[in-house]
Amino acid sequence: MRGKTLLLLYILVLIPIISYSKGSDGKKKILFICSYSTDNEYSRTNISSFINTFSELQGDYQYATEALNCTSLDDRYRWVDYTRAVMEKHKDASMVVLIGTEALVSYFSQVDPEIRKIPVFATMGQKYCASMEGNEIPILYDKNVEFGLIDILGTAKQFNLQLFYYYDYEVKKDIELIKQFFPKTENIAILSDNSLNGLSHMRQIKSEVKKNFKNLKLKYIDGRKLNTDQAAERFKNLPENTSVMLCCWKYDKNNIVYMDNSKYTFIKANPNMPVFSLTGTGIGYWAIGGYIPQYRPLGMELAKKAYDYLETEDWNGPFISGYSDILKLDMHELKRLDLMDANIPSDVIYVNPDFDWGDYVRLYKWYFILGSGIFILISIGFIYSSLSNIHIRRLKHNLEKKDEQLEQEKNELLKYQKELIVAKDKADELSRLQSAFISNMSHEIRTPLNAIVGFSEVLISTIDPTEEQDEYIGIIQHNSDLLLKLINDILDLSRIEAKKKKLFFEKADIVPHLESVVLSMRPNAKENVNILFTHKEPSITVVTDLVRLQQVVINLIGNAIKFTDNGSITLDVENRPDEEMMLLSVTDTGCGIPADMQDKVFERFNKVNEFAQGTGLGLAICEATVKQFGGKIWIDKSYTSGTRFIFTIPTNHNESSNEE
Ligand code: ATP
Ligand code: MG
């Protein structure tokens, strides 16, 4: 009876004070129902960003906000009725946005079918919530629920639920984290307060330990039964190998509200107690850390979804999902409790980061090694490219130098070339002058000599000489013959070299001509020497200069006669029309020419034996003549029984090629 009177009082007195709607001017309405006062930071920022975004989207709605002002569990008797009164007031709401676990629980406890039809967005509440003994929260109450936990989502499905973003605490991961840091842990102490959230957390942990960590013992520091001092006393006396799981500590059994001040009481009571946080409470102050939901501002996202739902056809909901969880650890606490070496997962987010280089190296050693590797590689690359650059520059410099040197050498060579051309011109001029001089001189000598020889012969023919005179005449004739031959030879050679002596081509059979040469020379040969003439073909008709050809043959046979005392001298001729030439040779069985002299005998005045008769011009004339024909003359080195001269005379001339 007393309870009902109190309830009526709440409805009649409190609702008008705590609620404010934006009036009812016939516009459609979105109703926000929050667990706590609208001054609560989360509620306020989310609602205002919802309204801003929704208005920007041109959503033309009224907004009404109702705060249930839920506090400790002692207060729970009024939550459902209070919510019913709120809904009575806002019957016309087009959508309800629930913020906080108590708002969710109270709303989903409503039985009115009209309420259950209204579209609902439920946020910032737990998925699993503690159910109560008694009938204070009738819909949620279910005695058979394991460990006194109820799945809100299951109940909410009886409503027009279009969106549910819930906290699904990762208790299992938290306990595994405790065991990783403190493998000796035997007890888990649950520190939870006298609030629906606190109780729900406590039951969730209890359920998890009973299911999956049966060897762990549970200790309770239960805010429903203890005031803060009693709780601190229990916290202080927790046995060894205990880790604390902090749910929250806001209301104690006396319903005294503690903000952050409770933490100092607990820290002071047992500073070295490892504390892990389920919700994020205490991390950065006295909890080591824990897996916690990734809280994020929702207003904007909810507004867009609400707009889609209410104002467009474009609705893909309902959207039902839990917040993803993150691992948050307090670096100070880890260092203080010497836990930095534990195998900390890499996706951790640190609060109170206070690194020294050692921490960096330990925590990020792989990144460090990788980074160092990359740095070293880049450095090596840089050094290599710098060295290459220097090397290339040096090469370029050397090349430029070499270029300069080459240019200099080229200039010098050009200079020498010019000098050489000048020298050659001079030499040519000298040679020409020399030839002219010799030719003139010889001419000048030959004319008087001819006169001397001629007139001597005339004189001799007119006298009858004595024996002694005859001898002198013989000497005179012999020497004047020699002198005349010398002069003729010099003249011949110089005329050939000065290209004044021309070839005269005529078609003839050379065989009889050469035969007569041999015949005429035979008497000059020594007694035991036979002069032979061999030719495969009976006649060899070619176009050639017969006189000059015979001159070469006479010279060669003359030499052979001079240097052959026994044996034979053979003239051979062979026509080779395919090669357009004749091959002639004069072979003797004489003294031969030493190998080192064989090339030199063609030079002027060069003789093997200085005392032998002759001036040493015969072979020079032969070579010059053969060359004029366009042929070649040489000594056959393979022949060693005397000397063999071989020469070629081209036969590709015709009579019309006679020079003028
Ligand atoms: P020239 O022919 O002017 O009267 P020469 O016979 O001495 O004088 P070349 O005909 O040019 O001059 O010969 C040069 C030298 O080559 C000769 O002095 C001789 O020593 C050597 N010679 C030439 N023909 C023969 C040969 N058939 N056997 C040995 N020696 C030779
Ligand atoms: Mg000779």
Side-chain angles (χ1 to χ4, degrees):
M1 191 63 208
R2 192 169 153 263
K4 278 193 177 168
T5 319
L6 265 174
L7 190 70
L8 211 70
L9 239 165
Y10 270 124
I11 295 167
L12 293 176
V13 180
L14 285 178
I15 289 179
I17 302 167
I18 59 167
S19 68
Y20 59 96
S21 75
K22 301 244 169 168
S24 51
D25 53 3
K27 271 192 191 173
K28 288 184 272 184
K29 186 196 283 178
I30 295 171
L31 172 64
F32 299 94
I33 302 177
C34 315
S35 292
Y36 313 114
S37 124
T38 44
D39 285 343
N40 175 285
E41 192 191 329
Y42 284 121
S43 316
R44 196 181 60 236
T45 50
N46 281 321
I47 291 169
S48 43
S49 92
F50 181 107
I51 292 170
N52 285 341
T53 310
F54 200 83
S55 305
E56 275 165 21
L57 290 168
Q58 311 295 329
D60 193 16
Y61 276 72
Q62 278 185 353
Y63 309 101
T65 305
E66 295 287 356
L68 300 183
N69 285 326
C70 303
T71 54
S72 74
L73 276 174
D74 298 343
D75 195 28
R76 66 187 183 271
Y77 301 103
R78 66 171 182 84
W79 296 348
V80 176
D81 293 334
Y82 192 93
T83 306
R84 188 164 53 245
V86 165
M87 291 313 295
E88 193 64 33
K89 185 173 153 199
H90 299 287
K91 267 188 192 141
D92 54 343
S94 305
M95 171 176 275
V96 174
V97 179
L98 303 172
I99 299 173
T101 309
E102 290 85 350
L104 264 67
V105 167
S106 311
Y107 191 85
F108 294 130
S109 294
Q110 301 302 317
V111 289
D112 181 350
E114 289 306 313
I115 294 178
R116 292 189 173 199
K117 277 186 209 157
I118 303 172
V120 180
F121 281 15
T123 65
M124 291 164 66
Q126 303 192 37
K127 185 165 184 262
Y128 296 101
C129 173
S131 62
M132 303 298 153
E133 296 292 330
N135 60 357
E136 297 91 356
I137 303 179
I139 298 303
L140 289 184
Y141 171 66
D142 183 348
K143 268 191 195 152
N144 300 320
V145 172
E146 198 181 1
F147 304 115
L149 274 175
I150 194 150
D151 179 357
I152 292 182
L153 181 58
T155 312
K157 277 181 179 162
Q158 297 162 35
F159 286 71
N160 187 0
L161 181 70
Q162 293 301 334
L163 182 145
F164 186 16
Y165 289 162
Y166 54 82
Y167 302 140
D168 185 8
Y169 297 97
E170 303 267 6
V171 181
K172 193 174 179 199
K173 277 174 150 182
D174 281 313
I175 297 175
E176 278 163 355
L177 187 71
I178 291 174
K179 291 187 81 175
Q180 186 185 326
F181 281 127
F182 300 98
K184 289 183 189 162
T185 302
E186 290 166 5
N187 310 304
I188 298 284
I190 308 172
L191 178 54
S192 63
D193 70 351
N194 186 18
S195 72
L196 180 62
N197 280 330
L199 180 62
S200 304
H201 294 148
M202 185 183 89
R203 290 192 178 165
Q204 238 175 301
I205 296 167
K206 185 175 156 190
S207 148
E208 188 61 47
V209 170
K210 298 269 172 188
K211 264 194 229 158
N212 296 316
F213 300 93
K214 293 198 171 75
N215 54 347
L216 290 176
K217 280 186 217 111
L218 285 167
K219 307 272 170 207
Y220 300 98
I221 304 177
D222 187 347
R224 291 177 304 168
K225 296 166 190 162
L226 304 168
N227 67 27
T228 300
D229 289 337
Q230 290 164 333
E233 190 59 22
R234 199 168 277 197
F235 184 80
K236 183 181 172 185
N237 296 320
L238 284 170
E240 249 183 62
N241 297 333
T242 299
S243 293
V244 173
M245 288 205 72
L246 170 62
C247 303
C248 47
W249 192 268
K250 205 168 173 190
Y251 306 103
D252 70 1
K253 101 174 176 186
N254 297 333
N255 204 10
I256 293 172
V257 180
Y258 291 90
M259 303 303 280
D260 278 340
N261 50 351
S262 60
K263 75 183 176 219
Y264 298 108
T265 316
F266 288 107
I267 293 170
K268 214 171 149 193
N270 194 345
N272 290 322
M273 176 55 61
V275 176
F276 291 83
S277 174
L278 196 65
T279 60
T281 307
I283 299 180
Y285 303 97
W286 57 304
I288 293 167
Y291 284 93
I292 59 168
Q294 196 168 14
Y295 303 109
R296 63 180 198 271
L298 276 178
M300 206 184 274
E301 189 184 336
L302 290 181
K304 283 178 185 163
K305 289 249 160 41
Y307 184 81
D308 283 349
Y309 181 80
L310 293 170
E311 294 294 277
T312 70
E313 309 279 283
D314 195 18
W315 180 246
N316 307 315
F319 294 93
I320 294 169
S321 64
Y323 286 61
S324 54
D325 66 315
I326 48 164
L327 172 61
K328 238 185 196 184
L329 293 172
D330 184 336
M331 178 75 78
H332 270 172
E333 285 300 299
L334 289 177
K335 288 176 96 175
R336 189 175 71 81
L337 297 166
D338 204 17
L339 294 171
M340 286 302 283
D341 282 333
N343 201 7
I344 298 169
S346 60
D347 56 350
V348 63
I349 292 171
Y350 285 106
V351 292
N352 293 331
D354 176 24
F355 289 106
D356 61 27
W357 275 105
D359 294 334
Y360 267 121
V361 172
R362 223 168 311 143
L363 284 172
Y364 299 110
K365 65 177 169 229
W366 289 114
Y367 296 104
F368 195 73
I369 289 169
L370 193 73
S372 307
I374 291 171
F375 178 75
I376 288 169
L377 276 180
I378 290 173
S379 304
I380 289 173
F382 180 74
I383 292 169
Y384 180 75
S385 79
S386 303
L387 287 178
S388 301
N389 250 340
I390 293 171
H391 185 62
I392 288 168
R393 247 184 260 162
R394 202 173 289 162
L395 280 179
K396 208 174 141 196
H397 179 72
N398 286 349
L399 265 179
E400 281 169 2
K401 238 181 168 178
K402 279 265 153 33
D403 253 13
E404 266 173 35
Q405 275 179 3
L406 276 176
E407 188 65 29
Q408 256 178 12
E409 279 168 16
K410 188 181 143 197
N411 288 338
E412 273 173 25
L413 278 176
L414 281 174
K415 204 176 104 192
Y416 290 143
Q417 193 190 25
K418 272 184 199 158
E419 285 173 6
L420 273 177
I421 289 171
V422 172
K424 184 180 171 278
D425 287 350
K426 259 188 195 165
D428 284 351
E429 179 64 13
L430 271 178
S431 157
R432 197 186 59 75
L433 286 174
Q434 192 185 20
S435 297
F437 173 76
I438 290 170
S439 166
N440 286 342
M441 283 304 294
S442 304
H443 195 72
E444 294 306 316
I445 293 167
R446 194 165 60 162
T447 313
L449 193 62
N450 271 332
I452 291 168
V453 172
F455 285 113
S456 324
E457 273 172 7
V458 172
L459 205 61
I460 289 160
S461 64
T462 57
I463 59 163
D464 186 15
T466 61
E467 201 177 314
E468 199 179 0
Q469 279 173 330
D470 199 38
E471 193 193 333
Y472 295 153
I473 288 166
I475 292 168
I476 291 171
Q477 274 184 330
H478 178 70
N479 280 294
S480 48
D481 281 349
L482 282 179
L483 200 56
L484 202 59
K485 184 179 174 294
L486 170 65
I487 298 298
N488 282 335
D489 281 353
I490 290 173
L491 259 180
D492 242 15
L493 198 58
S494 59
R495 284 175 64 209
I496 293 169
E497 282 180 349
K499 298 201 172 82
K500 280 187 182 157
K501 192 165 179 172
K502 312 279 186 218
L503 291 168
F504 179 76
F505 293 104
E506 59 184 315
K507 192 171 184 176
D509 179 4
I510 58 164
V511 173
H513 292 277
L514 293 177
E515 229 154 35
S516 68
V517 168
V518 170
L519 267 178
S520 69
M521 294 194 78
R522 233 171 230 152
N524 301 338
K526 287 174 192 127
E527 219 178 312
N528 300 328
V529 178
N530 195 10
I531 304 182
L532 306 166
F533 176 37
T534 55
H535 46 94
K536 280 183 201 150
E537 297 145 282
S539 69
I540 300 171
T541 303
V542 289
V543 173
T544 192
D545 186 326
L546 276 172
V547 177
R548 303 287 297 282
L549 176 63
Q550 287 177 78
Q551 190 188 2
V552 176
V553 174
I554 290 166
N555 257 319
L556 294 177
I557 294 179
N559 281 351
I561 289 172
K562 244 198 296 189
F563 299 104
T564 308
D565 294 334
N566 286 302
S568 63
I569 296 164
T570 309
L571 167 67
D572 182 76
V573 60
E574 185 192 334
N575 191 19
R576 293 186 178 175
D578 293 347
E579 295 169 52
E580 294 189 307
M581 58 106 161
M582 299 182 286
L583 190 79
L584 294 99
S585 64
V586 175
T587 308
D588 63 41
T589 53
C591 62
I593 302 171
D596 60 326
M597 284 299 288
Q598 288 186 352
D599 291 328
K600 291 181 182 160
V601 289
F602 290 100
E603 291 168 12
R604 295 173 205 187
F605 305 112
N606 242 347
K607 292 162 65 175
V608 176
N609 181 356
E610 283 302 319
F611 300 106
Q613 197 195 17
T615 51
L617 282 172
L619 286 177
I621 292 169
C622 287
E623 191 182 42
T625 308
V626 170
K627 273 189 183 164
Q628 201 183 355
F629 270 111
K632 267 170 40 177
I633 183 166
W634 69 96
I635 293 171
D636 181 1
K637 292 193 163 95
S638 63
Y639 178 74
T640 51
S641 314
T643 308
R644 176 181 288 154
F645 283 92
I646 305 173
F647 66 99
T648 59
I649 299 292
T651 53
N652 55 356
H653 304 285
N654 53 44
E655 286 154 298
S656 61
S657 59
N658 282 324
E659 297 164 5
E660 287 301 311

